[in-house]
């Protein structure tokens, strides 16, 4: 249940009356109810707000009394899926007594007066925020500190947190904005709370000081068609080139139709999977009509892939399950298309299509893993003081500044080149559709591999330089063995600290890589069966870094390196053991599904998937494959292990998304008997 609090302290707008004769605060309370708040309370002081935060058992919506906005603005804030704690951010010019903010990648990394931000402000606080349940104690600490004219300086160590003296509460000195809600959000930021920014686009939101400002703001709200703006807002603000100009120009019409048909985002996701599956089948069948038809279906499937997210934003129907399913479906669709292309190449006698499909899937998965952890690295660096994020100057600093300039120059040639060269999903699907329709599946797979390889080299080189400059150990503050997907064997191996976990992970990939190359170029791959244990020993060297601190500037690459090592070993064992290409592809596909499931949870700071221990870890799975190779039953071993992992994955999904939530719902709905115990 969401509780909304209208905070009246410290603002001159508390007594303003709207054009309809209704007090502004009362209208705001009514809007908060329409935005989804189950209850609205008024707090006259920050101490009252702190008491309400202490007693709350759900997220809080907090707003000052000076906000004039479309109801949709508050609804977007209340339902924002970006994170538990979100603040409204406006582009209005900063004024005395208001909090300015500095954003990095959608996160508020600093908040205070304009002078305190030393010219780095990117926007101003919009006077409203949503606070997640886990951040409520911090909210209460910030409120109590602001109430006595003090500024929190560190994460709270107790109920009240650490504070430092400030000028009197009414002053608007550095770090101490005047109104209560402004001091509150500045205090939250000072306590290290992860606050995401909710920007206002197309709709209207203004903070007002007097009657003239109120009249102007109300006129601006009336001038905008709220529903039409919401439909346009369903499209991502900054998308890739192909999505922007070849999908989003007409997909909002599909979104409106889907909403009228009462389709859910999950339903649209399922339909898009069916389109991609049909395209993959046509690519495998071959023949010009089938290839052209498959290309059309692939394009339409990508349109629906965009529509599911746009529909979720338009209807504000977000869920953790829907987000997870969308992520997993995107990868499954793409790799099913690779499978169809690979089969089509082999079926047409154009070459070893399965080898190309396996290479494309492996390359794309490893790329995604580096993308994930570099994003975490960048976010962590943005939240840290600049003096500790890296030395000033140098090539990393210049690259960072250049990237920021290009990203800010929206719509320019350099902006689109930067977004296109990294080969995002829209461009991948467009390239596949065009090349397969105009040429054949072989050209399509080769094109994907070439562009994907160049994009990987480009992003890898630039990110390496920037990461060495930022020097942020993102894996040093989490359970690194879980992020690495270590099994029981790797966790028990001795630690070799001098070499570092990244060096060991790269070394682990070299053994399987050499074995694979030897098997591919040799006349008799089966003759290398005795070399499999040697490659396994080299692979297991990656486990020697499991217990070491992952605090190097490039250690964010460790999970991706270990993924590459495991995939290369599985492929090499399959080639040496004479397993059919489709079976090797299927086994690696199951591995990628497991790893995407793990990554999708961990990047959102969620717990590991249920039954994670049953997946055996990269080391355990590789040992079993090696034993199958030594015994001469690689195909049987790979099929059995792949089927087992698939069953574990499905069971884990059912437990995580259906069984456990149902149990929690039943437990929370059970009547409580005497003594607070639910009767049996």
């Amino acid at each position: 249940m969401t509780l909304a609090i209208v905070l009246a302290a410290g603002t001159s707008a508390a007594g303003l009356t709207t054009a309809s004769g209704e007090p502004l605060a009362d209208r705001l309370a009514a809007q908060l109810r329409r935005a989804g708040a189950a209850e609205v309370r008024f707090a006259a002081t920050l101490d009252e707000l702190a008491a309400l935060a202490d007693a709350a058992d759900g997220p809080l919506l907090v707003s000052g009394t000076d906000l004039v906005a479309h109801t949709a603005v508050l609804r977007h804030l209340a339902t924002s899926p970006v994170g538990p704690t979100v603040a409204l951010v406006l582009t209005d010019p900063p004024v005395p007594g208001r909090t300015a903010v500095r954003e990095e990648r959608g996160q508020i990394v600093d908040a205070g007066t304009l002078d305190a931000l030393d010219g780095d402000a990117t926007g101003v606080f919009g006077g409203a925020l949503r606070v997640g349940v886990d951040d409520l104690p911090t909210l209460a600490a910030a409120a109590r500190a602001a109430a006595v004219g003090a500024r929190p300086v560190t994460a709270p160590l107790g109920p009240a947190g650490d504070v430092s003296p400030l000028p009197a509460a009414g002053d608007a000195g550095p770090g101490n904005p005047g109104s209560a809600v402004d001091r509150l959000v500045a205090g939250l930021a000072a306590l290290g709370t992860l606050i995401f920014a909710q920007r206002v686009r197309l709709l209207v939101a203004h903070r007002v000081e007097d009657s003239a400002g109120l009249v102007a703001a109300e006129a601006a709200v009336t001038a905008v068609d709220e529903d039409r703006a919401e439909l346009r807002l369903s499209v991502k603000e900054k998308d890739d080139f192909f999505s922007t100009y070849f999908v989003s120009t007409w997909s909002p019409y599909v979104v409106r139709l889907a909403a009228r048909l009462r389709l859910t985002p999950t339903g649209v996701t399922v339909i898009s999977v069916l389109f991609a599956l049909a395209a993959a089948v046509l690519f495998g069948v071959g023949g010009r009509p089938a290839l052209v038809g498959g290309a059309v279906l692939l394009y339409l499937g990508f349109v629906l892939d965009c529509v599911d997210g746009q529909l979720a934003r338009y209807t504000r129907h977000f869920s953790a399950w829907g987000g997870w399913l969308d992520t997993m479906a995107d990868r499954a669709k793409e790799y099913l298309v690779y499978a169809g292309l690979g089969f089509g190449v082999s079926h047409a006698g154009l070459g070893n299509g399965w080898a190309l499909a396996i290479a494309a899937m492996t390359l794309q998965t490893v790329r995604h893993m580096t993308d994930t952890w570099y994003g975490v690295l960048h976010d962590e660096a943005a939240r840290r003081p600049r003096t500790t994020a890296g030395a000033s100057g140098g090539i990393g600093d210049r690259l960072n500044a250049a990237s920021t300039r290009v990203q800010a120059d929206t719509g320019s040639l350099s902006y689109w080149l930067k977004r296109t060269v990294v080969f995002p999903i829209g461009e991948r699907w467009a390239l596949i559709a065009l090349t397969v329709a105009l040429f054949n599946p072989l050209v399509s797979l080769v094109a994907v591999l070439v562009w994907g390889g160049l994009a990987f080299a480009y992003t890898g080189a630039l990110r390496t330089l920037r990461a060495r400059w930022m020097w942020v150990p993102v894996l040093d503050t989490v359970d690194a063995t879980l992020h690495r997907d270590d099994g029981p064997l790797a966790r028990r191996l001795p630690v070799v600290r001098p070499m570092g976990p990244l060096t060991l992970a790269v070394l682990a990939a070299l053994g399987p890589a050499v074995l694979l190359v030897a098997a591919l170029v040799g006349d008799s791959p089966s003759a290398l069966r005795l070399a499999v244990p040697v490659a396994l020993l080299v692979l297991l060297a990656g486990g020697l870094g499991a217990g070491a601190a992952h605090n190097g500037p490039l250690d964010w690459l460790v999970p991706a390196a270990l993924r590459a090592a495991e995939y290369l070993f599985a492929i090499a064992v399959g080639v040496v053991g004479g397993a059919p290409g489709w079976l090797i592809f299927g086994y690696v596909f199951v591995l990628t599904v497991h790893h995407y499931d793990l990554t999708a949870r961990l990047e959102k700071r969620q717990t590991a998937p249920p039954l994670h221990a049953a997946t055996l870890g990269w080391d355990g799975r590789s040992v079993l494959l090696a034993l199958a190779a030594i015994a001469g039953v690689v195909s049987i071993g790979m099929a059995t292990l792949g089927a087992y992992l698939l069953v574990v994955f499905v069971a884990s999904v059912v437990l995580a998304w259906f069984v456990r939530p149902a149990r929690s719902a039943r437990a929370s709905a059970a009547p409580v008997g005497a003594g607070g115990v639910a009767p049996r």
Side-chain angles (χ1 to χ4, degrees):
M1 183 182 75
T2 300
L3 170 66
I5 300 174
V6 179
L7 183 60
T11 174
S12 60
L16 292 179
T17 302
T18 66
S20 63
E22 181 184 23
L24 179 57
D26 289 347
R27 186 177 72 180
L28 185 58
Q31 287 183 296
L32 288 168
R33 292 187 186 95
R34 293 197 299 273
E39 182 183 1
V40 179
R41 303 282 293 273
F42 287 86
T45 67
L46 284 164
D47 285 327
E48 288 184 28
L49 185 143
L52 290 170
D54 287 334
D57 58 1
L60 286 185
L61 275 173
V62 181
S63 174
T65 57
D66 59 352
L67 180 61
V68 178
H70 284 104
T71 300
V73 171
L74 298 173
R75 183 165 58 249
H76 292 179
L77 179 66
T79 58
S80 176
V82 297
T85 298
V86 187
L88 194 64
V89 174
L90 309 178
T91 56
D92 296 351
V95 298
R98 297 280 172 80
T99 295
V101 300
R102 179 170 68 86
E103 298 171 59
E104 290 278 356
R105 288 168 55 91
Q107 298 178 26
I108 295 176
V109 297
D110 200 2
T113 63
L114 191 61
D115 291 340
L117 266 60
D118 194 24
D120 288 336
T122 58
V124 294
F125 173 52
L129 70 156
R130 185 193 72 201
V131 183
V133 175
D134 292 341
D135 291 330
L136 291 180
T138 312
L139 175 70
R144 291 190 174 96
V148 298
R151 177 179 62 236
V153 293
T154 62
L157 301 177
D162 294 340
V163 298
S164 64
L166 274 180
D171 294 344
N176 187 37
S179 76
V181 71
D182 282 287
R183 282 180 280 145
L184 184 65
V185 77
L188 274 175
L191 286 170
T193 308
L194 179 56
I195 306 174
F196 291 87
Q198 178 71 38
R199 283 273 180 176
V200 178
R201 293 193 300 124
L202 303 181
L203 296 166
V204 175
H206 293 296
R207 299 178 68 181
V208 299
E209 295 284 343
D210 49 33
S211 297
L214 175 59
V215 171
E218 286 185 314
V221 169
T222 304
V224 175
D225 185 321
E226 192 169 1
D227 182 70
R228 181 177 296 178
E230 284 200 89
L231 186 62
R232 291 177 59 192
L233 284 170
S234 67
V235 177
K236 287 182 180 179
E237 181 179 8
K238 291 184 177 182
D239 213 339
D240 302 316
F241 181 84
F242 183 78
S243 301
T244 298
Y245 291 105
F246 295 93
V247 175
S248 297
T249 51
W250 65 280
S251 61
Y253 300 105
V254 183
V255 171
R256 177 168 282 168
L257 176 62
R260 289 176 178 173
L261 294 174
R262 297 189 177 183
L263 291 175
T264 64
T266 298
V268 176
T269 298
V270 172
I271 296 173
S272 72
V273 171
L274 295 178
F275 270 67
L277 180 60
V281 171
L282 290 176
F283 292 157
V285 169
R288 187 57 53 198
L291 295 180
V292 172
V296 172
L297 287 177
L298 187 63
Y299 168 67
L300 294 177
F302 179 67
V303 172
L304 291 175
D305 183 52
C306 296
V307 166
D308 60 5
Q310 293 171 4
L311 181 63
R313 287 185 286 274
Y314 180 60
T315 60
R316 309 310 294 176
H317 287 165
F318 300 109
S319 68
W321 158 252
W324 176 89
L325 181 64
D326 184 54
T327 298
M328 300 301 293
D330 283 350
R331 303 287 72 78
K333 288 184 292 186
E334 183 171 0
Y335 295 164
L336 285 174
V337 168
Y338 290 169
L341 293 171
F343 179 82
V345 171
S346 298
H347 180 66
L350 299 173
N352 192 337
W354 286 112
L356 294 173
I358 293 168
M361 179 171 59
T362 301
L363 173 64
Q364 193 55 47
T365 302
V366 175
R367 281 191 64 207
H368 277 144
M369 297 302 162
T370 60
D371 291 344
T372 295
W373 293 113
Y374 181 77
V376 176
L377 168 83
H378 200 290
D379 291 345
E380 186 70 21
R383 290 194 293 268
R384 299 190 181 201
R386 294 187 174 186
T387 54
T388 61
S392 60
I395 188 171
D397 197 4
R398 292 194 294 271
L399 286 172
N400 193 57
S403 177
T404 302
R405 286 195 302 272
V406 171
Q407 289 293 344
D409 192 13
T410 306
S412 67
L413 178 60
S414 58
Y415 173 85
W416 286 124
L417 284 175
K418 179 177 173 60
R419 295 191 70 90
T420 302
V421 73
V422 297
F423 204 27
I425 185 170
E427 275 64 16
R428 292 199 300 275
W429 284 46
L431 180 67
I432 292 171
L434 285 174
T435 52
V436 79
L438 296 176
F439 304 103
N440 55 54
L442 176 62
V443 173
S444 186
L445 279 175
V446 170
V448 167
L449 282 168
V450 171
W451 193 345
L454 293 174
F456 195 18
Y458 165 76
T459 57
L462 292 183
R463 288 172 176 177
T464 296
L465 292 172
R466 294 180 68 185
R468 289 184 63 85
W469 167 73
M470 288 185 283
W471 199 289
V472 176
V474 296
L475 292 179
D476 197 34
T477 57
V478 295
D479 182 1
T481 58
L482 182 60
H483 292 67
R484 292 162 50 98
D485 194 25
D486 289 326
L489 179 59
R491 293 171 187 256
R492 288 174 172 79
L493 289 175
V495 179
V496 178
R497 289 184 174 85
M499 295 186 69
L502 179 59
T503 302
L504 291 168
V506 173
L507 176 64
L510 291 179
V514 171
L515 177 62
L516 178 59
V517 171
L520 291 175
V521 302
D523 295 330
S524 178
S526 60
L528 296 171
R529 192 172 67 180
L530 295 180
V532 170
V534 178
L536 175 66
L537 290 176
V538 177
L539 173 68
L540 293 178
L544 297 174
H550 289 59
N551 55 7
L554 301 180
D555 283 348
W556 55 277
L557 289 167
V558 169
L562 290 175
R563 305 292 189 266
E566 182 182 5
Y567 300 161
L568 288 172
F569 184 76
I571 297 168
V573 169
V575 173
V576 169
W582 62 265
L583 178 58
I584 300 174
F585 181 94
Y587 178 75
V588 177
F589 175 78
V590 172
L591 289 182
T592 65
V593 167
H594 161 64
H595 284 138
Y596 277 117
D597 181 32
L598 182 65
T599 302
R601 295 172 183 274
L602 294 181
E603 69 178 342
K604 294 178 175 61
R605 303 292 182 179
Q606 296 178 353
T607 58
L611 307 179
H612 176 69
T615 61
L616 308 175
W618 62 268
D619 46 316
R621 296 187 293 266
S622 299
V623 168
L624 291 179
L625 280 185
L627 292 175
I630 295 172
V633 289
V634 168
S635 294
I636 295 175
M638 188 169 283
T640 303
L641 183 56
Y644 165 77
L645 292 173
L646 186 59
V647 169
V648 170
F649 169 75
V650 172
S652 180
V653 170
V654 173
L655 281 173
W657 298 109
F658 300 99
V659 176
R660 289 183 177 178
R663 288 176 180 171
S664 299
R666 287 196 299 268
S668 62
V672 179
V677 179
R680 297 184 180 182

